Amino acid sequence: MRLDYSPADPAVRRSARRSVLIASLCVVLLVAVATREGIAKRQSSLTEGSLPPEIATAFDADSESAFAETVQSALADTLPAPQASDWVTIEVARGQTLSDIFESQGLGYSEAVAVTRLSSDTARLKSLRTGDKLLLRKNPEDKLEELRFELDESNTLHVRRNADGDLEAITIAATIERRQAQAAGFIENSLFLDGQRAGLSNRLLMQLAEIFGYDIDFALDLRVGDRFAVIYEELYKNGEKLRDGDIVAAEFVNRGRSFRAMRYIDADGNIAYYTPEGESLRKAFLRSPVDFARVSSGFNLRRRHPILNTIRAHKGVDYAASTGTPIKATGDGRVEFIGVKGGYGRVVILRHGSQYTTLYAHMSRFRPGLKIGSRVKQGQVIGYVGASGLATAPHLHYEFRINGVHKNPMTVALPKANPLPRSVVARWRAEHAYALAQLDAISERQLAQTPSGSPVGGSP
Ligand SMILES: [Zn+2]
């Protein structure tokens, strides 16, 4: 990937902002972060008809839907209607494998192995988890006739014996319908209280905070009269609401300054948010590589070294955190060095384009599999806090260099992330015309009832 950085305003209090915000919601954060990756991935496996336009247009729509139809009708034609008595439902017990289950049902070990070898989806039956549910049906010869397994909320794996007596596997995607919903409100207390009152789930609020978190300090900058509007997706399976999807478009007006964001989904299903003009709302770097940490020593070119007891420049920032705290890559890049290096102990150096490098020292361990040349994404865990090398207590020593020159990571002006390619902006905007019109309409309604601005919670 080519990186194209352009300078942007410094955002000095960023790390403090983010940690206050995140700390106040740590429980929500953990839940939201845990589900987020899975959601982004699942989106690319939904059926064509239910894909958001950004993804759908990236596929050959005709062949995709034709395939889905063939699969559905093939199943309808060939599968006997399941009879309740034929099917056995098995809930996977702790430590139970597919072959354990097959043997308990009088099916052979070799049949279990044969099933797992049918496709990449059946290979997933090799790593069943406690509580997974399998449906099995045997034929009169006591061999496996059919097996069903829900791979995730939209995909079901079907294994069946065909007319030739061979097992075959197919994965069927349920139609997930996406409906747009909206929520809007004014800030009186905090983003979270007022957001919840407006009907936004915690997951959507975390997403909203993340989208605008590079520009707005939700802990310190909010004022009474600030307002927000969110257009988001709700996912329905067979007419029943499954859960909230992602934010499609949103506006936050902070002290009279309006910020707008619209979703973009790339060909790999990754979601990012841009201004309606196609500018990124992200910065190329996170301010801090660790959450829930305290700065124990700042950037200081004339510091007395705590172990060597000599004046020695401290060309980075130390974040005190307990051993094992995850360390995140602050920007997209590649691993330039990973290993042990003198006083740094276990250290990772990342290169981000031609100008920028970041360094993470004193790790207790590296992320398994990470090696020189590995690509990393912003926010991805690269290792864990420790006290290797010259360190008196567990902490992360973090350095930020531009063209080899050390900069203060807490105050350096962070470049913006790449904008959307010009070639896609016009089409992308056109796809969001309806959402943008909704934001305009909400904004007009809100303006008519805007209270005068004053600090939230009475603080200056
Ligand atoms: Zn240090």
Side-chain angles (χ1 to χ4, degrees):
M1 183 187 65
R2 227 185 68 232
L3 290 171
D4 172 24
Y5 295 114
S6 55
D9 294 332
V12 179
R13 292 170 301 167
R14 184 65 56 210
S15 98
R17 296 170 173 191
R18 292 176 73 85
S19 32
V20 169
L21 169 71
I22 286 165
S24 68
L25 263 156
C26 58
V27 175
V28 176
L29 172 80
L30 293 174
V31 175
V33 167
T35 55
R36 202 176 152 69
E37 259 186 52
I39 289 154
K41 277 196 196 120
R42 272 197 296 277
Q43 271 181 331
S44 58
S45 65
L46 300 178
T47 58
E48 185 274 334
S50 66
L51 286 173
E54 301 95 312
I55 288 188
T57 48
F59 286 102
D60 178 344
D62 285 337
S63 68
E64 280 278 306
S65 59
F67 171 74
E69 264 169 42
T70 311
V71 168
Q72 299 285 5
S73 64
L75 276 162
D77 289 349
T78 56
L79 289 182
Q83 286 172 14
S85 58
D86 294 344
W87 289 87
V88 184
T89 304
I90 290 143
E91 191 171 327
V92 177
R94 180 179 290 274
Q96 215 175 12
T97 64
L98 188 68
S99 59
D100 295 338
I101 291 165
F102 270 43
E103 277 168 24
S104 74
Q105 296 300 313
L107 297 162
Y109 170 82
S110 59
E111 209 154 17
V113 174
V115 166
T116 59
R117 288 185 178 156
L118 290 172
S119 72
S120 57
D121 283 336
T122 62
R124 286 169 58 182
L125 295 171
K126 285 192 281 192
S127 45
L128 291 171
R129 276 174 288 201
T130 311
D132 280 351
K133 283 203 178 82
L134 280 168
L135 270 83
L136 293 179
R137 205 163 68 87
K138 291 200 285 188
N139 64 19
E141 290 83 51
D142 258 4
K143 292 185 122 187
L144 179 69
E145 182 65 24
E146 222 181 326
L147 176 153
R148 291 194 186 175
F149 180 67
E150 279 197 17
L151 294 164
D152 55 46
E153 68 187 12
S154 58
N155 293 294
T156 307
L157 172 68
H158 294 247
V159 175
R160 59 177 179 175
R161 197 170 291 281
N162 65 19
D164 300 331
D166 300 321
L167 289 171
E168 56 186 26
I170 201 159
T171 298
I172 299 185
T175 302
I176 303 285
E177 191 195 341
R178 292 161 180 279
R179 301 181 192 169
Q180 284 197 0
Q182 53 169 265
F186 287 94
I187 296 297
E188 282 170 19
N189 295 292
S190 69
L191 175 63
F192 289 95
L193 288 174
D194 297 311
Q196 281 178 331
R197 206 172 49 185
L200 288 169
S201 64
N202 288 342
R203 204 185 80 84
L204 286 169
L205 282 167
M206 278 307 301
Q207 203 176 26
L208 186 65
E210 205 178 295
I211 291 169
F212 294 115
Y214 288 92
D215 291 304
I216 302 167
D217 179 343
F218 285 106
L220 300 172
D221 285 350
L222 295 193
R223 291 293 179 273
V224 170
D226 281 359
R227 55 194 167 90
F228 57 91
V230 181
I231 315 294
Y232 63 97
E233 279 179 340
E234 290 179 326
L235 272 58
Y236 286 78
K237 181 181 176 182
N238 304 327
E240 270 180 51
K241 183 171 168 179
L242 263 184
R243 58 180 171 83
D244 288 332
D246 290 303
I247 291 176
V248 176
E251 177 174 46
F252 199 99
V253 179
N254 175 231
R255 307 183 189 203
R257 235 180 118 198
S258 162
F259 299 90
R260 277 191 178 186
M262 295 185 342
R263 181 181 63 176
Y264 177 75
I265 306 174
D266 70 16
D268 298 327
N270 299 312
I271 291 175
Y273 290 85
Y274 295 85
T275 70
E277 292 71 41
E279 293 295 323
S280 182
L281 284 144
R282 291 174 45 204
K283 298 278 194 281
F285 294 93
L286 300 173
R287 185 60 73 182
S288 154
V290 275
D291 294 326
F292 313 115
R294 150 183 86 77
V295 172
S296 53
S297 180
F299 186 84
N300 181 351
L301 296 177
R302 287 194 55 77
R303 181 184 73 150
R304 183 164 294 272
H305 192 278
I307 292 178
L308 303 175
N309 197 27
T310 52
I311 299 293
R312 214 171 109 159
H314 188 233
K315 294 179 170 181
V317 171
D318 291 345
Y319 294 94
S322 47
T323 299
T325 303
I327 298 167
K328 300 185 290 187
T330 50
D332 295 353
R334 276 179 186 279
V335 175
E336 187 171 83
F337 180 87
I338 178 164
V340 176
K341 204 176 206 171
Y344 283 136
R346 284 188 200 87
V347 62
V348 171
I349 300 175
L350 299 180
R351 172 158 289 282
H352 316 272
S354 58
Q355 297 180 61
Y356 297 87
T357 52
T358 52
L359 177 149
Y360 313 75
H362 307 311
M363 290 184 180
S364 55
R365 58 193 176 95
F366 303 119
R367 193 190 86 198
L370 204 65
K371 52 182 190 292
I372 289 179
S374 298
R375 279 176 182 280
V376 295
K377 289 223 154 245
Q378 185 181 70
Q380 197 178 4
V381 173
I382 55 171
Y384 301 88
V385 169
S388 59
L390 273 183
T392 47
H395 73 282
L396 168 69
H397 170 90
Y398 173 59
E399 294 181 11
F400 190 98
R401 300 180 202 183
I402 304 178
N403 295 323
V405 180
H406 289 86
K407 302 286 179 186
N408 183 347
M410 296 181 71
T411 56
V412 65
L414 296 176
K416 279 185 189 168
N418 293 343
L420 266 188
R422 288 208 173 279
S423 56
V424 308
V425 171
R427 196 193 68 203
W428 171 72
R429 262 185 81 108
E431 284 163 2
H432 282 75
Y434 180 64
L436 277 175
Q438 282 180 296
L439 286 185
D440 287 340
I442 295 170
S443 189
E444 229 168 88
R445 278 204 307 274
Q446 286 179 327
L447 270 175
Q449 44 168 315
T450 301
S452 60
S454 57
V456 170
S459 63

